[in-house]
Amino acid sequence: MAEPSPLFAETAPRRVHEWVTGDGHVLALREWGAAGGRPALVLHGGPGSGGSALLARVFHPAHWRVLVPDQRGAGASRPRGTTVRNTTDHLLADLRTLRRELGIPRWTVVGGSWGATLALAHAADEPDAVDALLLRSAFLGRGEDLAAFFDASLAPAAWAALVDAAGVPAGAAVPELLAALQQALHGEHAEAAALAWRRWERALSSSAGDRGPVQGEDAAALADRYRVQVHYLRHGCWLRERPLLARCAAVPAVATLLLHADDDRVCRPEGARALAAALPGAALRWVPGAGHDPAHPAMAAASVAALAALAARGGFGGGA
């Protein structure tokens, strides 16, 4: 028999919000949990992936007010897939506006992968707004992180499909590959390019590999997702002038926990070690064998336990 999931049951969101940014975007936000619970901002990955009910299922619904916004161009935010007025600074401004509109003085910030990147940037941008940080599978956005992600040797068959969809040689450098993927994702074969990129990510992040065909609206949404992602990656996620590790000096000294799988091939463990060194008050906990999968039973259990400890005792334990 399979072991029971450590995640809480999936439910419909308690409330759905939309707000207009004033510069051409309409942003979506879903809430789960208790209206009077401890506020938690949950930042999705990608960039461009959009939020999901899964992200809320690590929180005890009686203890937390879980806020899951869809970032610009992602999920239910509109226009979907747009890269116009869509930068890291725009996302940080949106978080400042969101907190003000909701009347929340401070919140716990949780993010995975790119969501962890944005969580740290937000904590540095508004340190008084953050009371704790839970960062899963953190991505630092450096050139070496991109080079490690686009390593052809990790999954040769998926790599061959990716470079074929991009129309570049198998030995193409990362900037050349990203430029070609961006062009392909805006052309008539955008869905094919998106499916090849999905196959590459799945090959690195899960032993299950590709999980079946994607067609119709799902394929269109996937192409929109990767349009946003390649836009951010080509610009170094707007972290080149002020790298994420340098921004850590402005992150408040609050309870901070880094959860990272020891076999993560999307966001390498070396990045987690560098981040732990830049955040001397943070605890780094390794999750064996979880890859880059937030729903892996070991990673899900670690997230649930960490948030339960934070709600009960105000900290994550183990120095955080």
Side-chain angles (χ1 to χ4, degrees):
M1 292 179 60
E3 294 184 10
S5 172
L7 298 170
F8 293 98
E10 181 172 344
T11 62
R14 182 179 59 80
R15 188 177 177 191
V16 178
H17 311 253
E18 280 192 346
W19 80 96
V20 178
T21 64
D23 63 357
H25 290 262
V26 179
L27 303 184
L29 167 73
R30 286 170 286 177
E31 285 195 37
W32 280 271
R38 177 173 175 165
L41 171 68
V42 185
L43 297 171
H44 66 71
S49 296
S52 70
L54 172 66
L55 299 179
R57 293 180 60 196
V58 295
F59 295 87
H60 194 300
H63 300 158
W64 294 90
R65 179 187 179 189
V66 185
L67 307 159
V68 184
D70 287 334
Q71 297 156 31
R72 292 185 177 217
S77 291
R78 307 191 305 273
R80 192 182 72 191
T82 186
T83 59
V84 176
R85 290 179 290 278
N86 192 346
T87 69
T88 301
D89 283 345
H90 284 104
L91 302 187
L92 293 175
D94 291 340
L95 295 179
R96 294 194 297 270
T97 300
L98 171 62
R99 190 175 64 85
R100 183 176 64 248
E101 292 288 328
L102 294 175
I104 297 175
R106 300 179 81 205
W107 48 20
T108 297
V109 185
V110 178
S113 196
W114 159 253
T117 316
L118 186 58
L120 277 168
H122 170 61
D125 182 57
E126 277 202 302
D128 292 340
V130 176
D131 63 24
L133 286 162
L134 177 59
L135 308 172
R136 172 186 50 77
S137 309
F139 172 64
L140 302 186
R142 304 167 299 177
E144 57 259 49
D145 302 310
L146 285 180
F149 174 64
F150 290 110
D151 179 349
S153 68
L154 296 176
W159 178 261
L162 183 65
V163 297
D164 181 65
V168 296
V174 171
E176 181 185 359
L177 173 65
L178 290 174
L181 283 170
Q182 187 172 47
Q183 183 174 3
L185 286 162
H186 284 85
E188 60 178 321
H189 301 298
E191 293 181 7
L195 289 169
W197 194 329
R198 173 181 179 265
R199 181 182 178 188
W200 173 252
E201 285 193 336
R202 292 285 173 85
L204 268 57
S205 64
S206 171
S207 59
D210 204 340
R211 300 174 191 173
V214 178
Q215 299 174 334
E217 174 58 22
D218 289 342
L222 194 68
D224 286 336
R225 165 185 168 178
Y226 286 120
R227 284 189 191 101
V228 174
Q229 187 163 331
V230 74
H231 168 66
Y232 271 76
L233 295 184
R234 285 203 72 195
H235 288 89
C237 298
W238 287 273
L239 295 171
R240 289 171 180 152
E241 287 189 13
R242 294 179 58 219
L244 192 66
L245 292 178
R247 297 185 192 214
C248 285
V251 171
V254 297
T256 301
L257 176 62
L258 314 178
L259 294 176
H260 211 100
D262 59 359
D263 63 343
D264 192 330
R265 300 197 300 172
V266 174
C267 297
R268 299 295 182 87
E270 289 78 3
R273 295 188 185 97
L275 185 55
L279 294 168
L284 170 58
R285 292 183 190 162
W286 297 108
V287 182
H292 195 71
D293 183 1
H296 186 283
M299 184 61 78
S303 299
V304 169
L307 290 165
L310 182 63
R313 299 188 292 276
F316 296 110

